[in-house]
Amino acid sequence: MSNKNSGFATINGTAAALPQKTILVLGIGRGGTSMVAGVLSKLGIYMGDGLSSRYQDSTLLDCLKRNDKKQAKKIIKERDASYPVWGVKKLRLWRWERLFRERVYVVVVRDIFATANRRTTIYNISLLAEMFKVLGLNFALLLFLWTTKRPIFIASYEKALLFPDDFVAGLADFLGLADNTEQRTEAAQFINPSPPTYTNTLVNFKAINANKAYLGYIDLLEAQKITGWALSTLHNDPLMLELFINGTYRQSVSTQLSRRDVIRQNPHYYEHCGFVFHLAEGEGLTPGDHVDVRIAGQDQALNNSPQAFI
Protein backbone atom coordinates (compact mmCIF):
# COMPACT_ATOMS: atom_id res chain seq x y z
CA MET A 1 0.00 0.00 0.00
CA SER A 2 1.41 3.39 -1.02
CA ASN A 3 1.85 6.11 1.61
CA LYS A 4 1.94 8.82 -1.07
CA ASN A 5 -0.37 11.76 -0.45
CA SER A 6 -2.02 12.22 -3.84
CA GLY A 7 -3.37 15.64 -2.87
CA PHE A 8 -6.97 14.92 -3.89
CA ALA A 9 -9.99 13.03 -2.61
CA THR A 10 -13.60 12.32 -3.50
CA ILE A 11 -16.63 12.90 -1.29
CA ASN A 12 -20.14 11.49 -1.83
CA GLY A 13 -18.86 9.09 -4.46
CA THR A 14 -17.70 9.50 -8.02
CA ALA A 15 -19.46 11.29 -10.90
CA ALA A 16 -18.16 8.86 -13.54
CA ALA A 17 -21.49 7.05 -13.93
CA LEU A 18 -23.49 10.22 -14.62
CA PRO A 19 -23.96 10.47 -18.41
CA GLN A 20 -25.09 14.09 -18.09
CA LYS A 21 -23.58 16.51 -15.58
CA THR A 22 -22.51 20.09 -14.98
CA ILE A 23 -19.09 20.59 -13.43
CA LEU A 24 -18.97 23.55 -11.03
CA VAL A 25 -15.44 24.65 -10.14
CA LEU A 26 -15.41 26.12 -6.62
CA GLY A 27 -12.70 27.83 -4.63
CA ILE A 28 -11.42 31.18 -3.41
CA GLY A 29 -10.13 33.98 -5.61
CA ARG A 30 -6.37 33.52 -6.17
CA GLY A 31 -6.79 29.98 -4.94
CA GLY A 32 -6.31 27.89 -8.09
CA THR A 33 -9.75 27.91 -9.75
CA SER A 34 -8.29 29.23 -13.03
CA MET A 35 -5.84 26.34 -13.11
CA VAL A 36 -8.61 23.79 -12.55
CA ALA A 37 -10.90 25.39 -15.15
CA GLY A 38 -8.03 25.43 -17.63
CA VAL A 39 -7.28 21.75 -17.01
CA LEU A 40 -10.93 20.86 -17.60
CA SER A 41 -10.88 22.81 -20.85
CA LYS A 42 -7.74 20.94 -21.95
CA LEU A 43 -9.53 17.68 -21.16
CA GLY A 44 -12.20 18.59 -23.70
CA ILE A 45 -14.85 19.99 -21.34
CA TYR A 46 -16.80 22.99 -22.65
CA MET A 47 -16.25 25.71 -20.03
CA GLY A 48 -18.37 28.54 -21.45
CA ASP A 49 -18.47 31.41 -23.93
CA GLY A 50 -16.08 34.34 -24.22
CA LEU A 51 -13.55 32.76 -21.89
CA SER A 52 -10.97 35.18 -20.56
CA SER A 53 -7.36 34.20 -20.00
CA ARG A 54 -8.41 33.11 -16.51
CA TYR A 55 -11.16 30.82 -17.89
CA GLN A 56 -14.01 32.95 -16.55
CA ASP A 57 -17.25 32.48 -18.51
CA SER A 58 -18.10 36.04 -19.56
CA THR A 59 -21.66 35.19 -20.67
CA LEU A 60 -22.86 33.73 -17.37
CA LEU A 61 -20.72 36.20 -15.41
CA ASP A 62 -22.55 39.07 -17.12
CA CYS A 63 -25.90 37.56 -16.07
CA LEU A 64 -24.66 37.37 -12.49
CA LYS A 65 -23.50 40.98 -12.52
CA ARG A 66 -26.89 42.13 -13.86
CA ASN A 67 -28.80 39.75 -11.55
CA ASP A 68 -30.51 38.41 -14.68
CA LYS A 69 -31.65 35.00 -13.50
CA LYS A 70 -34.04 34.57 -16.43
CA GLN A 71 -31.26 34.96 -19.01
CA ALA A 72 -28.93 32.73 -16.99
CA LYS A 73 -31.58 30.00 -16.94
CA LYS A 74 -32.00 30.30 -20.72
CA ILE A 75 -28.24 30.02 -21.32
CA ILE A 76 -27.95 27.02 -19.00
CA LYS A 77 -30.81 25.21 -20.76
CA GLU A 78 -29.19 25.85 -24.15
CA ARG A 79 -25.91 24.40 -22.93
CA ASP A 80 -27.64 21.40 -21.40
CA ALA A 81 -29.15 20.72 -24.83
CA SER A 82 -25.79 21.09 -26.59
CA TYR A 83 -23.39 19.37 -24.18
CA PRO A 84 -23.98 16.25 -22.05
CA VAL A 85 -21.06 17.40 -19.89
CA TRP A 86 -19.99 21.01 -19.47
CA GLY A 87 -18.59 23.19 -16.73
CA VAL A 88 -18.25 26.68 -15.34
CA LYS A 89 -15.84 28.32 -12.93
CA LYS A 90 -17.49 29.89 -9.90
CA LEU A 91 -15.16 31.61 -7.44
CA ARG A 92 -17.75 31.60 -4.69
CA LEU A 93 -21.06 29.93 -3.97
CA TRP A 94 -23.75 31.13 -6.34
CA ARG A 95 -27.36 31.68 -5.34
CA TRP A 96 -28.55 30.00 -8.58
CA GLU A 97 -26.90 26.68 -7.79
CA ARG A 98 -30.00 24.59 -8.45
CA LEU A 99 -30.40 25.85 -12.02
CA PHE A 100 -27.61 23.48 -13.03
CA ARG A 101 -28.38 19.92 -14.13
CA GLU A 102 -26.75 17.04 -12.21
CA ARG A 103 -24.26 19.24 -10.40
CA VAL A 104 -20.84 17.86 -9.49
CA TYR A 105 -18.25 19.94 -7.69
CA VAL A 106 -14.56 20.24 -8.37
CA VAL A 107 -13.02 22.13 -5.46
CA VAL A 108 -9.49 23.47 -5.16
CA VAL A 109 -7.93 24.58 -1.87
CA ARG A 110 -4.73 26.63 -1.55
CA ASP A 111 -2.51 27.62 1.39
CA ILE A 112 -4.23 30.66 2.95
CA PHE A 113 -0.98 32.61 3.24
CA ALA A 114 -0.21 32.17 -0.46
CA THR A 115 -3.75 33.19 -1.42
CA ALA A 116 -3.74 36.26 0.82
CA ASN A 117 -0.17 37.29 0.11
CA ARG A 118 -0.76 37.33 -3.65
CA ARG A 119 -3.56 39.86 -3.12
CA THR A 120 -1.43 42.04 -0.86
CA THR A 121 1.30 42.23 -3.52
CA ILE A 122 -1.22 43.81 -5.91
CA TYR A 123 -3.32 45.92 -3.54
CA ASN A 124 -2.54 48.08 -0.52
CA ILE A 125 -4.23 45.86 2.07
CA SER A 126 -3.18 44.24 5.33
CA LEU A 127 -1.75 40.73 5.04
CA LEU A 128 -3.21 39.52 8.35
CA ALA A 129 -6.61 41.04 7.59
CA GLU A 130 -6.60 39.36 4.20
CA MET A 131 -5.60 36.02 5.76
CA PHE A 132 -8.57 36.27 8.13
CA LYS A 133 -10.80 37.03 5.14
CA VAL A 134 -9.50 34.05 3.15
CA LEU A 135 -9.91 31.84 6.22
CA GLY A 136 -13.55 32.95 6.52
CA LEU A 137 -14.24 32.31 2.83
CA ASN A 138 -12.74 28.83 3.09
CA PHE A 139 -14.87 28.14 6.17
CA ALA A 140 -18.03 29.15 4.27
CA LEU A 141 -17.02 26.90 1.39
CA LEU A 142 -16.43 23.96 3.75
CA LEU A 143 -19.85 24.51 5.35
CA PHE A 144 -21.43 24.30 1.91
CA LEU A 145 -19.54 21.11 1.07
CA TRP A 146 -20.57 19.62 4.42
CA THR A 147 -24.26 20.02 3.57
CA THR A 148 -24.35 18.94 -0.09
CA LYS A 149 -24.97 15.36 -1.14
CA ARG A 150 -23.59 15.86 -4.64
CA PRO A 151 -20.30 14.24 -5.77
CA ILE A 152 -17.20 16.28 -4.88
CA PHE A 153 -13.61 16.12 -6.10
CA ILE A 154 -11.44 18.21 -3.77
CA ALA A 155 -7.77 18.88 -4.39
CA SER A 156 -4.78 20.73 -3.04
CA TYR A 157 -3.43 23.39 -5.40
CA GLU A 158 0.12 22.85 -4.11
CA LYS A 159 -0.07 19.07 -4.62
CA ALA A 160 -1.42 19.55 -8.13
CA LEU A 161 1.70 21.58 -8.93
CA LEU A 162 3.93 18.82 -7.55
CA PHE A 163 2.07 15.91 -9.15
CA PRO A 164 0.24 17.27 -12.22
CA ASP A 165 -0.12 13.88 -13.91
CA ASP A 166 -1.72 12.37 -10.82
CA PHE A 167 -4.06 15.34 -10.44
CA VAL A 168 -5.21 15.18 -14.06
CA ALA A 169 -5.68 11.40 -13.94
CA GLY A 170 -7.64 11.60 -10.69
CA LEU A 171 -9.89 14.38 -12.00
CA ALA A 172 -10.52 12.60 -15.30
CA ASP A 173 -11.34 9.34 -13.53
CA PHE A 174 -13.72 11.12 -11.14
CA LEU A 175 -15.61 12.55 -14.12
CA GLY A 176 -15.49 9.32 -16.12
CA LEU A 177 -13.61 10.88 -19.04
CA ALA A 178 -12.04 8.72 -21.74
CA ASP A 179 -8.36 7.88 -21.32
CA ASN A 180 -7.12 10.28 -23.99
CA THR A 181 -3.33 10.37 -23.57
CA GLU A 182 -2.88 13.48 -25.71
CA GLN A 183 -5.49 15.48 -23.81
CA ARG A 184 -4.20 14.37 -20.41
CA THR A 185 -0.62 15.25 -21.33
CA GLU A 186 -1.67 18.71 -22.52
CA ALA A 187 -3.73 19.24 -19.36
CA ALA A 188 -0.80 18.26 -17.11
CA GLN A 189 1.56 20.56 -19.01
CA PHE A 190 -0.91 23.41 -18.51
CA ILE A 191 -0.35 23.26 -14.74
CA ASN A 192 2.31 25.83 -13.89
CA PRO A 193 3.00 27.73 -10.65
CA SER A 194 1.47 31.22 -10.79
CA PRO A 195 1.44 31.95 -14.54
CA PRO A 196 0.52 35.53 -15.57
CA THR A 197 -2.89 34.35 -16.75
CA TYR A 198 -3.65 33.31 -13.17
CA THR A 199 -1.79 35.74 -10.92
CA ASN A 200 -2.57 38.97 -12.76
CA THR A 201 -6.30 38.91 -12.33
CA LEU A 202 -8.75 41.51 -11.07
CA VAL A 203 -10.20 40.33 -7.77
CA ASN A 204 -12.38 43.17 -6.55
CA PHE A 205 -12.69 46.84 -7.46
CA LYS A 206 -12.95 47.72 -3.77
CA ALA A 207 -9.48 46.31 -3.15
CA ILE A 208 -7.79 48.64 -5.64
CA ASN A 209 -5.33 51.00 -4.00
CA ALA A 210 -7.07 54.37 -4.24
CA ASN A 211 -3.74 56.18 -3.90
CA LYS A 212 -2.52 55.00 -7.30
CA ALA A 213 -2.51 57.71 -9.95
CA TYR A 214 -3.34 55.21 -12.73
CA LEU A 215 -5.55 52.13 -12.77
CA GLY A 216 -6.39 49.70 -15.52
CA TYR A 217 -6.94 46.10 -16.52
CA ILE A 218 -6.76 43.87 -19.55
CA ASP A 219 -10.18 42.25 -19.81
CA LEU A 220 -9.78 39.98 -22.81
CA LEU A 221 -7.02 38.65 -25.03
CA GLU A 222 -8.01 37.35 -28.47
CA ALA A 223 -5.85 36.55 -31.48
CA GLN A 224 -6.82 39.78 -33.24
CA LYS A 225 -8.07 41.94 -30.36
CA ILE A 226 -7.07 43.11 -26.87
CA THR A 227 -9.61 44.96 -24.73
CA GLY A 228 -9.68 46.55 -21.28
CA TRP A 229 -9.83 49.84 -19.45
CA ALA A 230 -7.45 52.40 -17.96
CA LEU A 231 -7.88 55.74 -16.20
CA SER A 232 -6.23 58.35 -14.04
CA THR A 233 -7.47 58.95 -10.51
CA LEU A 234 -6.25 62.56 -10.79
CA HIS A 235 -8.05 63.72 -13.95
CA ASN A 236 -10.64 62.70 -16.54
CA ASP A 237 -8.51 63.14 -19.65
CA PRO A 238 -8.05 60.18 -22.03
CA LEU A 239 -4.89 58.13 -21.57
CA MET A 240 -2.55 57.03 -24.34
CA LEU A 241 -1.70 53.34 -24.03
CA GLU A 242 1.14 51.40 -25.62
CA LEU A 243 1.02 47.74 -26.59
CA PHE A 244 4.11 45.55 -26.35
CA ILE A 245 4.14 41.93 -27.54
CA ASN A 246 7.10 39.84 -26.42
CA GLY A 247 8.87 43.05 -25.42
CA THR A 248 8.45 44.74 -28.82
CA TYR A 249 6.35 47.89 -29.23
CA ARG A 250 3.42 47.31 -31.61
CA GLN A 251 0.95 50.22 -31.45
CA SER A 252 -0.74 52.90 -29.36
CA VAL A 253 -4.39 53.69 -28.69
CA SER A 254 -6.29 56.24 -26.61
CA THR A 255 -8.92 55.38 -24.00
CA GLN A 256 -12.27 56.57 -25.28
CA LEU A 257 -14.85 53.77 -25.08
CA SER A 258 -17.69 53.88 -22.55
CA ARG A 259 -17.30 51.53 -19.57
CA ARG A 260 -20.32 51.99 -17.34
CA ASP A 261 -19.39 48.84 -15.44
CA VAL A 262 -16.28 50.66 -14.18
CA ILE A 263 -18.10 53.76 -12.93
CA ARG A 264 -20.73 51.58 -11.25
CA GLN A 265 -17.94 50.40 -8.97
CA ASN A 266 -16.75 53.95 -8.29
CA PRO A 267 -18.77 56.94 -9.56
CA HIS A 268 -15.64 59.11 -9.34
CA TYR A 269 -13.99 57.12 -12.13
CA TYR A 270 -14.10 58.37 -15.71
CA GLU A 271 -16.68 56.55 -17.87
CA HIS A 272 -14.89 56.73 -21.23
CA CYS A 273 -11.90 54.70 -20.10
CA GLY A 274 -12.27 51.65 -22.34
CA PHE A 275 -9.79 50.67 -25.02
CA VAL A 276 -9.32 48.11 -27.78
CA PHE A 277 -6.21 47.16 -29.73
CA HIS A 278 -6.97 45.65 -33.15
CA LEU A 279 -4.27 43.43 -34.62
CA ALA A 280 -4.03 43.02 -38.38
CA GLU A 281 -4.28 39.64 -40.08
CA GLY A 282 -0.94 37.90 -39.93
CA GLU A 283 0.13 40.02 -36.94
CA GLY A 284 -2.19 38.54 -34.33
CA LEU A 285 -1.35 36.81 -31.08
CA THR A 286 -0.15 33.22 -31.00
CA PRO A 287 -0.11 30.94 -27.94
CA GLY A 288 2.74 31.82 -25.61
CA ASP A 289 2.97 35.48 -26.64
CA HIS A 290 3.48 37.86 -23.71
CA VAL A 291 1.21 40.90 -23.90
CA ASP A 292 2.06 44.08 -22.00
CA VAL A 293 -0.15 47.20 -22.03
CA ARG A 294 1.54 50.28 -20.59
CA ILE A 295 0.54 53.88 -19.96
CA ALA A 296 2.49 56.09 -22.36
CA GLY A 297 4.98 58.40 -20.70
CA GLN A 298 4.68 56.61 -17.37
CA ASP A 299 6.73 53.79 -15.92
CA GLN A 300 3.60 51.77 -15.23
CA ALA A 301 1.79 48.83 -16.79
CA LEU A 302 -1.87 48.02 -16.24
CA ASN A 303 -2.61 46.21 -13.00
CA ASN A 304 -2.79 42.73 -14.55
CA SER A 305 -0.18 43.25 -17.24
CA PRO A 306 1.79 41.47 -18.64
CA GLN A 307 -0.21 38.38 -19.51
CA ALA A 308 0.50 35.30 -21.59
CA PHE A 309 -1.84 34.52 -24.48
CA ILE A 310 -3.10 30.94 -24.42
Side-chain angles (χ1 to χ4, degrees):
M1 178 177 176
S2 173
N3 291 323
K4 178 180 176 180
N5 178 1
S6 64
F8 61 83
T10 60
I11 303 172
N12 301 330
T14 178
L18 297 174
Q20 297 180 326
K21 48 186 168 267
T22 309
I23 306 162
L24 304 184
V25 178
L26 299 183
I28 307 303
R30 306 287 170 177
T33 53
S34 295
M35 179 272 287
V36 173
V39 165
L40 288 168
S41 179
K42 302 299 183 185
L43 288 173
I45 302 297
Y46 174 78
M47 293 299 292
D49 294 332
L51 291 178
S52 68
S53 56
R54 54 192 181 271
Y55 289 89
Q56 188 75 53
D57 183 340
S58 61
T59 304
L60 279 177
L61 182 62
D62 181 63
C63 292
L64 180 61
K65 288 179 178 178
R66 294 184 288 106
N67 196 29
D68 191 345
K69 185 175 182 179
K70 182 178 180 181
Q71 180 63 17
K73 190 173 183 179
K74 177 176 179 291
I75 292 170
I76 292 169
K77 283 188 174 182
E78 290 173 350
R79 293 184 183 174
D80 286 344
S82 301
Y83 306 96
V85 180
W86 64 280
V88 64
K89 173 182 134 180
K90 294 156 32 63
L91 287 180
R92 298 184 189 176
L93 310 185
W94 195 3
R95 57 189 176 278
W96 302 337
E97 208 80 29
R98 295 185 180 276
L99 294 183
F100 295 97
R101 174 190 62 189
E102 291 292 354
R103 305 179 305 281
V104 301
Y105 300 107
V106 176
V107 185
V108 60
V109 181
R110 188 183 186 187
D111 167 26
I112 65 167
F113 170 77
T115 303
N117 193 48
R118 178 57 197 165
R119 292 162 63 98
T120 62
T121 61
I122 301 174
Y123 311 115
N124 185 26
I125 49 182
S126 163
L127 174 60
L128 289 179
E130 194 63 18
M131 289 181 70
F132 273 113
K133 179 180 178 180
V134 171
L135 185 63
L137 292 172
N138 274 295
F139 181 72
L141 176 59
L142 289 175
L143 283 179
F144 170 77
L145 299 178
W146 182 267
T147 60
T148 186
K149 302 301 181 183
R150 305 299 306 174
I152 300 168
F153 178 91
I154 187 167
S156 158
Y157 173 76
E158 287 79 11
K159 287 289 186 179
L161 294 180
L162 290 174
F163 308 111
D165 293 316
D166 292 347
F167 170 79
V168 170
L171 178 59
D173 291 346
F174 168 77
L175 296 172
L177 304 181
D179 188 3
N180 186 314
T181 301
E182 183 178 348
Q183 284 185 343
R184 293 193 182 194
T185 299
E186 184 180 3
Q189 291 174 346
F190 174 79
I191 300 174
N192 289 296
S194 300
T197 50
Y198 163 67
T199 57
N200 300 320
T201 302
L202 174 62
V203 176
N204 191 320
F205 278 93
K206 294 180 181 179
I208 294 174
N209 180 1
N211 294 322
K212 287 185 176 179
Y214 299 98
L215 302 172
Y217 284 84
I218 299 172
D219 288 335
L220 181 65
L221 296 180
E222 296 181 343
Q224 307 298 142
K225 184 171 67 173
I226 300 164
T227 63
W229 62 271
L231 55 81
S232 170
T233 59
L234 305 178
H235 60 75
N236 289 335
D237 297 328
L239 298 180
M240 185 61 67
L241 303 178
E242 298 175 335
L243 171 64
F244 293 82
I245 299 177
N246 298 324
T248 301
Y249 170 80
R250 295 289 291 273
Q251 59 175 285
S252 298
V253 299
S254 174
T255 55
Q256 56 184 341
L257 304 178
S258 174
R259 290 294 301 263
R260 295 195 61 80
D261 59 314
V262 174
I263 64 171
R264 278 198 294 269
Q265 304 301 324
N266 189 329
H268 298 293
Y269 289 165
Y270 179 54
E271 176 182 344
H272 295 278
C273 59
F275 69 84
V276 56
F277 289 99
H278 291 286
L279 303 176
E281 290 292 336
E283 299 181 0
L285 299 176
T286 57
D289 282 346
H290 283 260
V291 177
D292 192 10
V293 178
R294 306 189 67 83
I295 299 168
Q298 306 292 328
D299 186 24
Q300 184 175 331
L302 301 193
N303 296 62
N304 64 342
S305 180
Q307 290 195 25
F309 179 65
I310 57 175

